[in-house]
């Protein structure tokens, strides 16, 4: 705390990212990164871009990338907004749509950055409890509000909602923006991108950090009808006109061009997830249904914090949240088959199984 700070900075409660320790040989299953490298075409494109043009500013409108996303999902380029990771896209969306007189509705257990943006932008929040099965019950989102944000599939639970439920949510709140954060949708969820033409209140946010193995490049996007995208552009151009650098733009386009690589790696992650689920269940873990690249698990007989600490001693990082309702859970990102096998071995030894 310093007397130089603006009063509002004193009140901020910043997001705490998962650990990124620089320890060799560590198995990192704590931040939902993809265990596979990006497509070789991405690396080739970035390498070429690095040789040519870095003295120049990048395209402030990210047209090539937005066009690649639009073509892939049957949208117009004007219906796509690009940002420096979906975190930045979310931040702009919160500023653009949720600073209203009424509180924003969100699940009580969800991506913890949402509450941080609310603190930053002075947005009041009403948290709607997940149901007993840790799912989102959209019928609980009917109150007058300033907007709705959910992650689908949800994080950190991993549970997804079918598209019909998203559509119901959009119909329950026709006069407010419903933001659907689809960071993990490519691992088995149902995307709402196809609903955009019919729902003027729908904003879908996706990232290249997870299913395209590009967490280090920082690229995300929002898709929605033109009037929503225009609001995001107004915020962006009041903050940073060049959020995506030349390397990020080139790499992101190349990632979209290599759909075969995307299909192969996401199928591998899904297959590993299902195997890991069976193996953890065989060790007595309760595992929530997952449509993501992670599993949310708890063991009825073992304390989650103790398990996380024990795994760390064995050089395996998983995520433990000291939060109500999930403090006995561990969130485990899906690694390579070898990393998952090491995790299962470590759990076996910790449980004495
Ligand atoms: C639900 C959800 N949304 C958004 C993000 C942010 O992703 P990025 O900023 O890397 O695009 C994450 C990251 O873990 C996430 O879990």
């Amino acid at each position: 705390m310093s007397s130089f700070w603006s009063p509002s900075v004193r009140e901020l409660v910043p997001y705490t990212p998962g650990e990124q320790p620089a320890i060799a040989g560590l198995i990192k299953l704590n931040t939902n990164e993809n265990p596979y490298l990006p497509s070789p075409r991405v690396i080739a494109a970035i390498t070429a871009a690095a040789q040519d043009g870095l003295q120049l500013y990048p395209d402030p409108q990210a047209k090539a990338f937005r066009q690649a996303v639009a073509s892939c999902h049957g949208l117009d380029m004007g219906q796509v907004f690009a940002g420096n990771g979906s975190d930045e896209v979310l931040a702009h969306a919160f500023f653009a749509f949720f600073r209203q007189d009424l509180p924003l509705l969100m699940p009580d257990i969800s991506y913890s950055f949402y509450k941080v943006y609310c603190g930053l932008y002075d947005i009041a929040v009403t948290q709607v409890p997940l149901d007993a099965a840790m799912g989102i019950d959209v019928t609980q989102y009917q109150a007058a509000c300033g907007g709705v944000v959910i992650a689908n599939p949800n994080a950190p639970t991993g549970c997804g909602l079918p598209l019909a439920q998203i559509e119901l949510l959009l119909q329950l709140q026709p006069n407010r923006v419903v933001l659907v954060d689809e960071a993990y949708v490519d691992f088995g969820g149902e995307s709402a991108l196809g609903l955009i033409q019919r729902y003027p209140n729908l904003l879908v946010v996706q990232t290249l950090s997870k299913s395209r193995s590009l967490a280090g490049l920082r690229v995300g996007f929002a898709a929605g009808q033109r009037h929503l995208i225009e609001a995001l552009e107004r915020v962006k151009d009041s903050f940073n006109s060049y959020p995506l650098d030349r390397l990020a733009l080139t790499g992101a386009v190349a990632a979209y061009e290599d759909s075969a690589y995307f299909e192969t790696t996401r199928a591998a992650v899904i297959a590993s997830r299902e195997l890991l689920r069976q193996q953890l269940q065989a060790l007595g873990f309760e595992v929530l249904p997952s449509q993501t690249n992670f599993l949310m698990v708890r063991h009825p007989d073992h304390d989650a914090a103790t398990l996380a600490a024990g795994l760390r001693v064995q050089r395996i990082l998983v995520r433990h949240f000291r939060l109500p309702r999930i403090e006995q859970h561990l969130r485990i990102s899906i690694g390579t088959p070898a990393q998952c096998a090491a995790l299962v071995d470590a759990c076996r030894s910790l449980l004495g199984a």
Side-chain angles (χ1 to χ4, degrees), residues 26 39 70 134 141 166 168 179 204 214 242 246 290 292 294:
L26 206 63
S39 152
M134 299 286 241
Y141 288 75
I166 300 292
L168 177 57
L179 192 163
V204 176
L214 287 173
Y242 304 104
R246 285 176 166 267
S290 171
T292 61
F294 58 85

Side-chain angles (χ1 to χ4, degrees), residues 31-32 85-87 90 111 114 151 155 181 183-184 207 209-210 218-220:
T31 49
N32 296 343
S86 59
D87 280 340
L90 289 165
Y111 183 37
Y114 301 153
D181 177 355
Y184 300 100
T207 176
S209 296
K210 314 294 180 182
R218 311 306 301 130
V219 185

Side-chain angles (χ1 to χ4, degrees), residues 235-285:
V235 177
K236 167 198 154 256
D237 287 323
S238 306
F239 179 76
N240 176 8
S241 296
Y242 304 104
L244 291 177
D245 62 57
R246 285 176 166 267
L247 306 185
L249 286 172
T250 312
V253 170
Y256 264 81
E257 284 169 351
D258 197 350
S259 53
Y261 188 86
F262 163 73
E263 293 297 344
T264 305
T265 49
R266 79 163 164 167
V269 170
I270 292 170
S272 296
R273 178 186 74 207
E274 291 315 307
L275 179 62
L276 184 60
R277 166 202 305 289
Q278 289 165 21
Q279 292 171 322
L280 293 176
Q281 282 172 334
L283 290 175
F285 282 96

Side-chain angles (χ1 to χ4, degrees), residues 133 157-160 277 287-291 295:
T157 63
C159 309
R277 166 202 305 289
V287 185
L288 288 177
S290 171
Q291 296 180 338
L295 290 174

Side-chain angles (χ1 to χ4, degrees), residues 73-336:
H73 298 297
L75 301 166
D76 290 337
M77 189 183 81
Q79 296 175 317
V80 179
F81 172 82
N84 188 270
S86 59
D87 280 340
E88 187 190 70
V89 176
L90 289 165
H92 288 343
F94 274 57
F95 188 87
F97 306 117
F98 298 149
R99 298 182 79 213
Q100 308 283 356
D101 294 338
L102 290 166
L104 175 68
L105 300 182
M106 71 169 82
D108 61 341
I109 299 170
S110 197
Y111 183 37
S112 38
F113 226 138
Y114 301 153
K115 270 198 272 175
V116 175
Y117 300 130
C118 290
L120 181 62
Y121 295 132
D122 238 337
I123 298 167
V125 181
T126 300
Q127 291 186 303
V128 182
L130 295 184
D131 64 23
M134 299 286 241
I136 293 172
D137 176 356
V138 297
T139 64
Q140 301 301 306
Y141 288 75
Q142 304 195 33
C145 67
V148 177
V149 60
I150 62 165
N152 189 41
N154 197 12
T157 63
C159 309
L161 279 178
L163 207 50
Q165 294 293 301
I166 300 292
E167 207 164 350
L168 177 57
L169 182 57
L170 290 161
Q171 289 162 0
L172 288 172
Q173 293 290 350
N175 300 317
R176 291 299 183 192
V177 169
V178 173
L179 192 163
V180 183
D181 177 355
E182 296 188 339
Y184 300 100
V185 76
D186 292 328
F187 299 107
E190 285 185 58
S191 175
L193 285 171
L195 299 178
I196 282 172
Q197 314 300 359
R198 280 194 287 136
Y199 290 94
N201 57 333
L202 170 61
L203 190 76
V204 176
V205 174
Q206 290 197 4
T207 176
L208 278 69
S209 296
K210 314 294 180 182
S211 57
R212 313 245 173 201
S213 304
L214 287 173
L217 204 63
R218 311 306 301 130
V219 185
F221 67 88
Q225 290 188 10
R226 182 66 207 142
H227 58 107
L228 299 185
I229 302 306
E230 205 183 317
L232 293 171
E233 286 166 351
R234 289 171 70 96
V235 177
K236 167 198 154 256
D237 287 323
S238 306
F239 179 76
N240 176 8
S241 296
Y242 304 104
L244 291 177
D245 62 57
R246 285 176 166 267
L247 306 185
L249 286 172
T250 312
V253 170
Y256 264 81
E257 284 169 351
D258 197 350
S259 53
Y261 188 86
F262 163 73
E263 293 297 344
T264 305
T265 49
R266 79 163 164 167
V269 170
I270 292 170
S272 296
R273 178 186 74 207
E274 291 315 307
L275 179 62
L276 184 60
R277 166 202 305 289
Q278 289 165 21
Q279 292 171 322
L280 293 176
Q281 282 172 334
L283 290 175
F285 282 96
E286 295 163 7
V287 185
L288 288 177
S290 171
Q291 296 180 338
T292 61
N293 67 339
F294 58 85
L295 290 174
M296 189 72 162
V297 310
R298 69 185 286 276
H299 200 291
D301 306 325
H302 292 268
D303 176 63
T306 311
L307 281 177
L311 288 169
R312 200 191 159 91
V313 171
Q314 303 200 38
R315 304 172 77 80
I316 300 177
L317 291 190
V318 299
R319 191 91 191 254
H320 175 240
F321 298 91
R322 290 183 195 281
L323 293 174
R325 290 187 79 184
I326 54 170
E327 63 197 354
Q328 281 309 323
H329 283 81
L330 295 176
R331 193 195 67 188
I332 304 174
S333 309
I334 305 302
T336 60

